[in-house]
Amino acid sequence: MEYEKGSIYDAIRKAAMRFPYLIACEFMQKQTSYRDLLHHIDKAAEAFFALGIREGDTVLLCFPNCFSVVVSLYALNKLGAVVTPIHPLSQPYELEEYLKISNSNWVITLDLFVHHFAKLQSIRSLKGVVFRSLSVDMPFYLKPLYRFKKGKEVSQKDLPDHFVAWKDSHHDLKPNHCTPNLEPKRDRTNELAVILFSGGTTGKPKGVMLANKNFNALAMQIGSRGHAHEVGGKMLGILPIFHGYGLGVCIHTFLFWGAQVILVPVFTPEKIGKLIRKKKPSFFPTVPRILDAVIQTKDFQKADLSCLKHINSGGDKLPERTRQQLNTLLETSGSKISIVEGYGLTETLSGCIAMPEGEYRPGSIGKPFPDMLVKIVHPGTIQEIPDMEDGEICVSGPSVMLGYLNDDQETAKVLKTHEDGRLWLHTGDIGYRDPEGYFYFKQRIKRMIKVSGMMVYPVQVEEVLNLHPDVAESCVIGIPDTQRGQKIKAVVALKESIFQSAENEKKSELIHWCKDHLIPLRCPKEIDFLPELPRTKFGKIDFRALEKANGVTSYE
C-alpha cells in the first residue's frame, strides 16, 4: 500500500478538509464537526505553546475518554511534542513510575486528578502541570450539574506555582504574539509521536515508542479491510485512550476515515446497551471482558443490532461461549454480520492480524493486515518452522514499534533482523499457521506450564473450564510440585456464589469435567474459588497476581 506521509496531526487536518461539516466527536451529547475539531486543536496548540511546551517535550496525558484528550493529543503532536497517555485513576506511586520511565516534563490532566500530581516527589522537576474541568467538554445544560456534583472534590488551594488551570482553549492562555504555524518544518512520518505503556510480562511496564507512521499505517490497513472505511459512520468509543486499541483504532483510525467517534468516559454494561439503542452505532470495537458483560444486559438483548456493521474483538482471547451468544443476538436482530476476532500487541500499536470479513475458522485469529508479514519460528531463534507446528509468532511491517524507551537491552530481545534483511518483532506468543495462511494464537511463552517435562498451555484448560455452565471465568497457573516440577492449579470465578460447605463438591465436579475433556497431563490437580479474578489495568486477568498469591515468584 502507499501510505500517508506526515504526522498524525497532518492526517486529521486532511480529514477536516475532506469532511468539514461531518460530526467528528460526540461527548455527553455535545457534537463537534471536523472543522470545529481542527479549530479546537489549533487553538490548543497555541495555548500549549504559550505555556512553554515545545518540540521534543514529553507530555503525560491523564484523562478518561473525553473531547479534551482528543484535542490535546493532536495539538501536542502539531507542536512536535511526544504524548504519553496513562490510566486516569493511576495512584501516586504509579504516576511516579510513569513519569520516570517516560521522562515526561509536562502533565495535562483533569482538575479531579491534579492533587495526585501535587503529592509527587518528582513534581518540582516538571516544567508544568496543566489541568482543566471536564465540564468544559459538556453541553451547557450539564455543566451546572457536574459542578454541583464534583465541585466539592476539586480544590485549587495549595498547588505549586507551575500548576496552571486551562479552562477553555479559545479564551484562556492565548499567546501574547501571533503564532500562525507552530509545526516543525520537515517530514515527521518516522518520528516518535506517542509512548504507550505495555502491560509488562515481568510485572513492570515498558514504554513502547510509536511513530506517526505506525498510526497512519494502521488506519489505512484497517480501512482496507473494511473495518472502518465508512465516511460518517458512528463508532462507540469505549476502549481507553491509554491503550493501543483505544488510541490507535477507536480514536485515530476512525477520525482518519471521517467517522463519528462517540466518546464514553466511564464504562458500565448497562450504559453500552442504552447507547446502542439510542445512538445506533455502525462500529463497536471491544474486548472480551466488556463484550461478555454487555451481552448479559437487558438493554443490549432488546436492542436492534441491525445498525452494527462491524463488531471487532481484540486484546484477549474471545471465549467461544461469548461468540455464540453474540452471534445469536445478531441473527435474532436480522443482522448479517458476525463478530470479527483479531490479534495484536502494544508493540504493533494494536491489531496486526484479523479474520477477514464474513469468514470464520474455529480458534483462528485470521490473516495478517496488508503489508504485515507474520511467521512462526522456533522460540529463541530466527529459524522458521513448517505449518501446523507451534512456535513463536513474529511480525514485521509498518505498524511495528520503534523500540522500548531507554531500554536497548529489552529492545534487542524482541526486535531482530532476520536473514531476509527485515526487522522482525518477536512477540513472545505461541501459535501456528495452517496451510491456507490462517494464524492461531495459543499462549504467552512465559505462561507455559511444564508438567513432568511436557508443556501445557493454560488457555487449553481455561477453555474447557469456561464451557462449564457454572463457570464465569477461570485462570490456570503452574505451581511448584516436587514430583512433576509443576502442577496445574485453576482459580475459578463462578456465576453464582455457593456455600463453603459445597466447595469441595464443586471442585470435584470441575476436575471430573476436565478429565472428560482433557488428557490427564492437562487436568488441574487443585482448584480455588474467588468471587472475581484480579485484573491488570488493561483489563486482562492478572495471572501474575495469582501466581504470586500461590508462592510463584520466579518468572524467568
Side-chain angles (χ1 to χ4, degrees):
M1 295 174 61
E2 187 175 342
Y3 294 98
E4 289 274 356
K5 298 287 186 182
S7 66
I8 60 174
Y9 168 78
D10 293 332
I12 297 308
R13 181 172 57 189
K14 288 178 182 177
M17 299 302 174
R18 292 171 63 198
F19 322 113
Y21 301 110
L22 291 181
I23 300 301
C25 296
E26 179 177 326
F27 178 71
M28 301 190 77
Q29 302 181 53
K30 183 178 180 180
Q31 296 183 335
T32 306
S33 69
Y34 272 86
R35 182 185 67 176
D36 289 344
L37 171 62
L38 183 64
H39 181 68
H40 279 281
I41 291 169
D42 288 340
K43 296 304 290 184
E46 292 179 13
F48 295 154
F49 187 87
L51 280 172
I53 298 177
R54 296 292 185 269
E55 179 184 353
D57 283 340
T58 302
V59 184
L60 208 68
L61 277 188
C62 184
F63 284 90
N65 285 9
C66 61
F67 185 65
S68 287
V69 76
V70 176
V71 170
S72 299
L73 168 71
Y74 292 107
L76 292 167
N77 184 262
K78 179 180 181 178
L79 296 177
V82 178
V83 179
T84 306
I86 62 166
H87 197 301
L89 299 181
S90 298
Q91 295 303 302
Y93 75 94
E94 296 171 304
L95 297 176
E96 290 275 19
E97 191 74 16
Y98 291 143
L99 287 168
K100 179 181 178 182
I101 295 173
S102 65
N103 295 324
S104 294
N105 41 22
W106 287 89
V107 171
I108 304 177
T109 186
L110 287 183
D111 52 5
L112 289 170
F113 310 135
V114 73
H115 279 280
H116 284 315
F117 290 96
K119 297 174 184 176
L120 303 184
Q121 293 181 355
S122 60
I123 204 65
R124 291 291 175 186
S125 63
L126 293 177
K127 294 180 180 179
V129 175
V130 183
F131 59 93
R132 74 180 311 180
S133 171
L134 194 62
S135 65
V136 176
D137 294 348
M138 296 178 178
F140 71 92
Y141 54 85
L142 289 179
K143 292 177 188 283
L145 181 62
Y146 176 81
R147 289 169 185 154
F148 175 76
K149 283 189 170 183
K150 296 294 185 182
K152 295 178 182 178
E153 299 179 29
V154 178
S155 172
Q156 297 179 17
K157 294 180 180 179
D158 303 322
L159 290 177
D161 293 339
H162 58 317
F163 280 55
V164 182
W166 172 30
K167 294 180 181 178
D168 189 289
S169 60
H170 282 90
H171 306 296
D172 292 344
L173 309 180
K174 281 188 175 180
N176 296 321
H177 57 283
C178 184
T179 52
N181 193 342
L182 304 173
E183 293 181 85
K185 302 283 195 297
R186 61 176 180 277
D187 178 6
R188 294 194 286 137
T189 304
N190 297 308
E191 292 184 8
L192 176 63
V194 173
I195 297 168
L196 288 177
F197 290 104
S198 71
T201 57
T202 61
K204 192 171 184 178
K206 296 189 285 286
V208 177
M209 297 190 294
L210 297 159
N212 288 293
K213 70 172 183 180
N214 298 140
F215 285 85
N216 291 335
L218 177 71
M220 296 188 70
Q221 289 168 349
I222 292 176
S224 73
R225 295 287 288 264
H227 293 194
H229 196 172
E230 181 190 328
V231 175
K234 297 179 182 179
M235 189 281 303
L236 205 53
I238 308 167
L239 303 178
I241 201 169
F242 61 83
H243 192 282
Y245 193 2
L247 180 60
V249 177
C250 296
I251 302 298
H252 188 67
T253 293
F254 283 93
L255 290 177
F256 185 101
W257 289 110
Q260 176 180 334
V261 176
I262 301 170
L263 295 158
V264 182
V266 179
F267 165 75
T268 64
E270 294 76 17
K271 179 185 292 185
I272 302 311
K274 289 178 174 136
L275 278 171
I276 289 175
R277 294 183 73 176
K278 183 176 181 179
K279 299 296 180 181
K280 300 189 181 305
S282 313
F283 306 100
F284 182 21
T286 185
V287 295
R289 187 189 179 205
I290 286 177
L291 186 60
D292 193 47
V294 168
I295 63 178
Q296 310 303 327
T297 63
K298 292 181 180 179
D299 277 297
F300 188 84
Q301 292 171 3
K302 293 177 181 178
D304 179 3
L305 304 179
S306 61
C307 62
L308 293 169
K309 297 184 178 179
H310 302 284
I311 302 183
N312 303 82
S313 177
D316 211 343
K317 193 169 181 64
L318 181 67
E320 185 59 30
R321 180 176 58 199
T322 304
R323 178 197 301 279
Q324 291 174 0
Q325 285 179 325
L326 175 63
N327 287 341
T328 299
L329 289 171
L330 288 166
E331 188 177 352
T332 303
S333 286
S335 175
K336 297 180 180 179
I337 69 165
S338 57
I339 188 166
V340 173
E341 189 171 7
Y343 165 87
L345 310 92
T346 308
E347 288 82 351
T348 59
L349 181 52
S350 63
C352 56
I353 303 173
M355 186 62 64
E357 200 70 29
E359 296 187 34
Y360 171 62
R361 298 213 171 186
S364 175
I365 51 177
K367 290 186 173 182
F369 286 170
D371 298 331
M372 297 304 292
L373 304 181
V374 183
K375 64 181 175 181
I376 308 296
V377 303
H378 283 296
T381 75
I382 63 173
Q383 181 183 352
E384 193 168 1
I385 60 178
D387 290 344
M388 304 305 292
E389 289 189 20
D390 291 342
E392 184 176 11
I393 300 172
C394 292
V395 181
S396 180
S399 71
V400 172
M401 68 171 181
L402 299 174
Y404 295 122
L405 182 67
N406 299 325
D407 199 336
D408 293 341
Q409 185 175 0
E410 284 298 313
T411 300
K413 287 181 181 178
V414 299
L415 289 179
K416 300 179 181 181
T417 302
H418 289 197
E419 293 174 351
D420 57 8
R422 292 180 178 273
L423 190 66
W424 289 83
L425 171 70
H426 287 243
T427 66
D429 290 335
I430 291 292
Y432 67 93
R433 178 182 57 204
D434 70 19
E436 296 180 15
Y438 289 85
F439 284 84
Y440 298 76
F441 165 79
K442 282 195 166 183
Q443 187 71 58
R444 291 289 302 170
I445 286 177
K446 291 187 177 183
R447 273 205 75 194
M448 290 194 300
I449 302 170
K450 187 176 285 188
V451 180
S452 300
M454 303 294 288
M455 287 298 183
V456 174
Y457 298 116
V459 69
Q460 293 174 318
V461 188
E462 291 162 358
E463 285 176 346
V464 168
L465 282 166
N466 292 344
L467 288 173
H468 191 282
D470 295 337
V471 173
E473 58 184 359
S474 63
C475 182
V476 169
I477 59 174
I479 60 175
D481 182 81
T482 54
Q483 293 183 332
R484 303 177 182 87
Q486 284 183 301
K487 62 181 177 182
I488 295 172
K489 179 173 183 175
V491 185
V492 173
L494 297 172
K495 290 181 178 177
E496 295 183 8
S497 59
I498 58 174
F499 291 107
Q500 190 172 358
S501 58
E503 281 191 1
N504 288 336
E505 184 179 336
K506 182 60 67 176
K507 289 177 183 179
S508 177
E509 178 185 336
L510 291 177
I511 287 173
H512 279 92
W513 172 270
C514 290
K515 287 180 178 179
D516 289 341
H517 294 82
L518 296 166
I519 62 174
L521 182 75
R522 296 174 184 159
C523 291
K525 302 299 180 185
E526 294 183 17
I527 292 180
D528 278 351
F529 295 121
L530 289 177
E532 59 182 27
L533 301 185
R535 299 275 173 182
T536 68
K537 281 192 176 292
F538 298 89
K540 297 181 180 181
I541 295 173
D542 192 349
F543 72 92
R544 292 294 192 210
L546 293 174
E547 287 180 335
K548 187 175 181 180
N550 284 271
V552 181
T553 56
S554 176
Y555 300 138
E556 296 302 322

